[in-house]
Amino acid sequence: MCVLSVVQLSANQSAVKITIRGVKNTMNVKWMTAKRSTMWASASRAALWTAVKCAAQLTRPMLAAFLAVVLAGGPVWAQDQQPQQPAPAPEKPGLPASQTPGPGAYKAGPTNPPIPVSLGVSKYNYTRAPRPFPNFIAPYRSIRVPEPVITNSPRIDQLIHDGKLELTLQDAVELALENSMDIAVQRYYPWIADVSILKADSGSPGFGTPGAAISASSANLSPFAFSITSYDPLWTSSVAFDDRHTPINNPFISGTGITATAPAIGSHTAQYNNQYSQFFPTGTSLTVTYDNTRATSAPSANLFNPDVQSSLFVSFSQSLLSGFGLAVNHRNIIIAKNNRKIADLAFEQQAITTATSAITAYWELAYARANVEVQQQAVATSTRLYGDNKKQLQIGTMAPLDVTRSEAQLANDQQNLIIAQTTKLQDEQVLKNFISKDPLAPNIINVEIIPTDKPTPPEATEAASFEESIKEAFQKRPELLEQEYNLKNAAVDVKATRNALLPTATLTGQYGTTGLSGNSPILKSTPAAGAPVVGSNGQPITVLDANGNPAMIFEPATSTTTTGTTRNGIGTATSQLFHSQFPDYAVGVSITIPIRNRSLQADNQRAILEQRLLQTQMQQLKNAAVVDVRNAYIALEQDRSQVATASEARKLQQETFDAEQKKYQLGASTVYNVILTQRDLVNAQGAELRALANLLEAKAQYERAVARTLDVNRVTIADAKHGEVERDTLIPGTLHGRVVGTEDLLNLLPDGSAQK
């Protein structure tokens, strides 16, 4: 059977040994590296690959146990190194061309596509409002927005040791993105654009954002039709009570009867009304009204007293011409979402600018420090020459003029040294401003910055041709992409204003039903004698009764008496509503035709003119990009040639100076010639350093011109938005940043590539 053994070495050792012993073979895998996390990942992949060869003998439980040890122990071992020093940053995918990925690194190929640069998401998402469920009061309370952080990131303290801040170029770029106040300000605009989307989703125009030419559509849809324009449902409830006593001048109509004084009717009314209304992106508005009224009056001639009246009406209106369709009613939502992308691109542009400025400041400081060393060497050489000349003057083998010349050269070199040291301090302060929010903070104000990356000629980064560089710039430069979204917004506005030119035609419909109930008396009718029958003379007519006595004849009549009260209320009225006992239907079409239509014509013409303006500006931006890329391309090529010639000139000048010194020591040269060759050597050394710094800065400017800065420096927009640079930790049991199972791990070759 196969035997897996994992050996963890002590803290002062930098090796991990994984041994897999089988029946027929034994394999020892050992890597020496300073980064144990990467070392462990590479070693574990190779060990797993060997385990495949003895899969017939290695059972799944043993393999699972091995993976458990790897997953549990890898991160611990990765942390077991120099506790007093901050852990080194693991490598990110997407290394620059000048760096070579190590074993186990992600390699692009037919089976492994390149990892795209992720623009990421904001730290906060303001496109959604608080939900009303389960907290009903959440939509009516203000949200909490954190206070801005204006203190330096804690990573600065982690990089400071013994009063010195040692920085790599990558550290400088990341610290600049973490601490740049320009980034801190620009970070709010994508969040404001999120709020603009939230505003537009409600049916209102959105807000503006830097870089966006159109904040909201100027179209005035259906200007002559009254309709609700909020996509958020609106619920309205009202309760009203009315108690009054009204004098009556006509007692017969009111039923009060004739009285000696003016009668009065007392009434009490209670109203409970509710309404739901909403507007839909199709141009449809819907209103549902449910009203209830209870009224009591005394005296009263009404059938019901008190009476309860309920009504339910559903009405809608639909725009048929102006304001019809999803496209025009979604116009502000589309514009707000495009403006959110514009805010992202503006933020990317700021990140590129900040990173490029930090790179330039970094190499300027590196040049300044190297130039100080060159000037110090010049002062040391001049001091030694001046000392030798003074000794020769004392013994009488040299003229005083030669000593004066060497002393003057020493003073000149000391002056140059002071200038170089001053420039270094100034460049150091410039870089501090880029990498810190507060350069006056006590932990950084007196710290010396030491660039650890040396200015060496980089590999070629420019495209094969200028045309390829322009093509890349057109595809990636943020201001060009911003203008494309501005053109999309302009097209949306033109379409909406064209629709607004149409007459206003509105289809309306309504369905309603009402109910009426209340308290009414229960009446009982009984026969009774009516008025006597009279003759033509006006006298009652009499007849003889059975006894022969005269009797009057009466008209038949009935008498009505109240025996009780029928009590009905809201339940009866509601039943009548839903059984539609008293329906109400209505439908109509209204058309409004504005004569001349000058206002809407002005809106449409302005939208078209803005579209043409943006199209012209797009070509203007492209022309400016061509000039920018062309200048950066030429500068990069020229600086590369200047570095080669400056390096060769420095070598030749060094040989000349060495030869002149030998001649001077042999008496075949003069102090003046030595001083001249020394001055030429210092100038050549300074020119070489300047050329190297110019080349590296030209490389940064070229990468900015083609919008490659963030890719090359392994920075994503998401990192900068969070205010801190995230790192992808490589731990065992992960493949390209995601946790995978045993089958995926076993498909890897020992070099980390996928098995075909």
Side-chain angles (χ1 to χ4, degrees):
M1 60 180 296
C2 293
V3 179
L4 304 181
S5 62
V6 181
V7 180
Q8 178 181 0
L9 301 184
S10 59
N12 58 355
Q13 293 175 319
S14 59
V16 171
K17 182 178 181 181
I18 301 177
T19 305
I20 303 177
R21 293 191 294 272
V23 175
K24 296 182 179 180
N25 58 9
T26 299
M27 178 180 178
N28 294 334
V29 183
K30 183 175 181 180
W31 278 272
M32 300 296 294
T33 178
K35 295 184 178 180
R36 296 193 173 186
S37 58
T38 306
M39 168 193 61
W40 178 251
S42 303
S44 60
R45 290 194 184 101
L48 287 174
W49 171 246
T50 306
V52 174
K53 297 181 179 180
C54 56
Q57 301 173 358
L58 185 63
T59 61
R60 285 185 176 270
M62 296 179 62
L63 182 57
F66 174 70
L67 286 176
V69 172
V70 169
L71 291 172
V76 176
W77 293 355
Q79 298 173 2
D80 186 19
Q81 51 177 342
Q82 297 184 3
Q84 70 277 10
Q85 300 291 337
E91 297 296 332
K92 288 186 179 180
L95 295 175
S98 60
Q99 300 188 26
T100 303
Y106 181 80
K107 295 182 179 180
T111 58
N112 296 328
I115 298 178
V117 176
S118 173
L119 295 181
V121 294
S122 301
K123 186 176 183 179
Y124 305 99
N125 186 358
Y126 295 103
T127 60
R128 299 183 183 91
R131 296 182 179 273
F133 302 102
N135 186 1
F136 291 97
I137 66 173
Y140 315 107
R141 300 175 63 181
S142 175
I143 67 170
R144 178 186 176 275
V145 177
E147 295 290 333
V149 179
I150 57 176
T151 57
N152 296 329
S153 62
R155 197 151 68 95
I156 292 181
D157 290 330
Q158 299 172 2
L159 296 175
I160 296 177
H161 304 287
D162 299 328
K164 296 181 180 180
L165 177 59
E166 297 183 356
L167 283 182
T168 64
L169 179 62
Q170 185 68 24
D171 289 333
V173 171
E174 293 177 355
L175 286 174
L177 293 176
E178 291 177 10
N179 296 295
S180 169
M181 293 307 300
D182 293 332
I183 290 289
V185 171
Q186 192 71 32
R187 186 181 297 119
Y188 283 96
Y189 292 117
W191 295 339
I192 294 176
D194 282 345
V195 179
S196 182
I197 295 176
L198 178 63
K199 183 81 170 178
D201 284 340
S202 71
S204 303
F207 309 118
T209 185
I214 300 174
S215 60
S217 174
S218 60
N220 187 10
L221 302 178
S222 302
F224 308 105
F226 175 75
S227 62
I228 302 168
T229 58
S230 176
Y231 296 148
D232 291 345
L234 185 64
W235 178 269
T236 304
S237 294
S238 63
V239 178
F241 301 97
D242 188 321
D243 191 276
R244 66 182 61 187
H245 294 273
T246 307
I248 300 300
N249 194 33
N250 190 333
F252 297 101
I253 296 178
S254 63
T256 59
I258 300 176
T259 60
T261 59
I265 294 180
S267 64
H268 179 79
T269 304
Q271 294 182 340
Y272 307 90
N273 300 330
N274 300 278
Q275 185 181 72
Y276 174 90
S277 57
Q278 187 175 2
F279 182 73
F280 298 93
T282 56
T284 307
S285 62
L286 175 68
T287 302
V288 179
T289 304
Y290 179 49
D291 294 340
N292 296 276
T293 303
R294 184 183 186 277
T296 304
S297 62
S300 173
N302 294 334
L303 179 63
F304 300 107
N305 187 36
D307 65 89
V308 176
Q309 185 171 359
S310 299
S311 63
L312 177 64
F313 283 88
V314 179
S315 60
F316 76 94
S317 66
Q318 173 64 55
S319 299
L320 301 178
L321 295 175
S322 176
F324 174 79
L326 292 172
V328 294
N329 288 290
H330 268 165
R331 65 194 186 282
N332 285 323
I333 297 177
I334 297 173
I335 290 174
K337 291 182 177 179
N338 287 339
N339 287 344
R340 177 61 172 82
K341 297 174 182 177
I342 289 175
D344 277 339
L345 291 168
F347 186 83
E348 179 181 352
Q349 180 66 66
Q350 183 60 60
I352 290 175
T353 302
T354 300
T356 303
S357 300
I359 293 171
T360 302
Y362 183 89
W363 290 124
E364 283 295 318
L365 178 58
Y367 161 74
R369 291 181 62 85
N371 189 42
V372 167
E373 294 178 0
V374 170
Q375 299 301 329
Q376 287 174 343
Q377 293 176 4
V379 169
T381 303
S382 298
T383 302
R384 185 171 59 253
L385 179 62
Y386 174 64
D388 293 342
N389 292 344
K390 284 182 64 177
K391 293 179 181 179
Q392 294 185 32
L393 176 62
Q394 293 174 357
I395 62 177
T397 59
M398 180 171 288
L401 179 60
D402 291 336
V403 178
T404 303
R405 286 176 177 173
S406 61
E407 186 178 8
Q409 181 62 33
L410 174 59
N412 184 66
D413 290 340
Q414 289 174 340
Q415 181 181 6
N416 292 336
L417 175 59
I418 293 173
I419 295 175
Q421 290 173 337
T422 302
T423 302
K424 186 200 77 167
L425 293 176
Q426 293 173 341
D427 291 341
E428 188 175 71
Q429 186 60 45
V430 170
L431 184 56
K432 281 183 183 180
N433 288 345
F434 278 116
I435 65 174
S436 63
K437 288 188 177 76
D438 183 12
L440 298 179
N443 63 334
I444 195 175
I445 185 172
N446 295 319
V447 168
E448 179 184 4
I449 300 179
I450 301 178
T452 57
D453 289 349
K454 301 303 179 183
T456 56
E459 295 183 5
T461 58
E462 61 270 28
S465 64
F466 169 68
E467 290 74 13
E468 291 295 328
S469 298
I470 290 296
K471 182 178 179 181
E472 182 180 0
F474 282 178
Q475 293 175 350
K476 299 172 65 176
R477 281 179 72 107
E479 72 272 18
L480 297 180
L481 300 180
E482 287 180 34
Q483 196 70 0
E484 289 182 3
Y485 284 109
N486 281 326
L487 286 173
K488 292 179 181 179
N489 288 343
V492 171
D493 197 29
V494 168
K495 183 176 181 180
T497 54
R498 186 186 301 120
N499 178 269
L501 288 172
L502 300 175
T504 300
T506 306
L507 170 67
T508 59
Q510 176 179 283
Y511 165 76
T513 177
T514 58
L516 177 63
S517 67
N519 294 351
S520 60
I522 300 175
L523 302 178
K524 181 179 181 181
S525 299
T526 58
V533 178
V534 297
S536 59
N537 57 2
Q539 297 298 321
I541 299 176
T542 61
V543 296
L544 298 176
D545 57 8
N547 297 326
N549 298 323
M552 292 187 297
I553 301 175
F554 295 91
E555 294 179 358
T558 59
S559 65
T560 303
T561 59
T562 301
T563 61
T565 302
T566 301
R567 300 183 181 277
N568 293 312
I570 186 67
T572 303
T574 303
S575 177
Q576 294 173 357
L577 287 182
F578 290 100
H579 287 83
S580 191
Q581 293 186 11
F582 307 99
D584 182 354
Y585 301 94
V587 64
V589 176
S590 65
I591 300 177
T592 303
I593 302 176
I595 307 301
R596 301 184 68 179
N597 209 20
R598 287 182 292 183
S599 175
L600 299 179
Q601 278 285 345
D603 292 340
N604 179 248
Q605 292 175 19
R606 182 178 182 275
I608 296 176
L609 288 172
E610 284 190 347
Q611 184 183 38
R612 299 295 180 261
L613 173 63
L614 292 173
Q615 290 172 346
T616 307
Q617 288 178 343
M618 171 61 91
Q619 186 60 41
Q620 183 184 30
L621 290 173
K622 287 184 176 180
N623 293 344
V626 169
V627 174
D628 189 18
V629 174
R630 184 64 173 172
N631 291 337
Y633 191 88
I634 293 174
L636 186 56
E637 289 185 331
Q638 288 181 342
D639 289 340
R640 197 180 300 279
S641 301
Q642 287 180 358
V643 167
T645 55
S647 178
E648 185 64 23
R650 191 265 307 162
K651 293 178 182 178
L652 294 175
Q653 197 61 46
Q654 181 69 51
E655 294 176 0
T656 302
F657 176 70
D658 294 340
E660 195 67 32
Q661 277 190 321
K662 292 180 180 179
K663 290 171 60 179
Y664 172 73
Q665 293 172 358
L666 296 175
S669 180
T670 64
V671 173
Y672 180 73
N673 291 335
V674 173
I675 292 175
L676 288 180
T677 55
Q678 178 193 359
R679 184 183 306 168
D680 293 340
L681 175 60
V682 171
N683 292 336
Q685 291 173 335
E688 181 184 20
L689 292 174
R690 183 69 266 176
L692 281 172
N694 290 341
L695 174 59
L696 293 168
E697 293 173 16
K699 172 179 175 290
Q701 291 298 328
Y702 174 78
E703 292 165 352
R704 176 201 55 79
V706 297
R708 200 190 292 172
T709 302
L710 301 184
D711 296 354
V712 171
N713 292 281
R714 296 172 288 174
V715 176
T716 66
I717 295 301
D719 295 339
K721 281 183 181 176
H722 282 72
E724 59 185 17
V725 179
E726 299 173 348
R727 292 172 174 78
D728 298 327
T729 304
L730 299 177
I731 61 173
T734 63
L735 177 61
H736 315 326
R738 64 183 181 90
V739 178
V740 297
T742 305
E743 293 78 7
D744 293 328
L745 286 174
L746 290 179
N747 288 330
L748 293 178
L749 295 174
D751 61 352
S753 59
Q755 182 183 10
K756 297 182 179 180

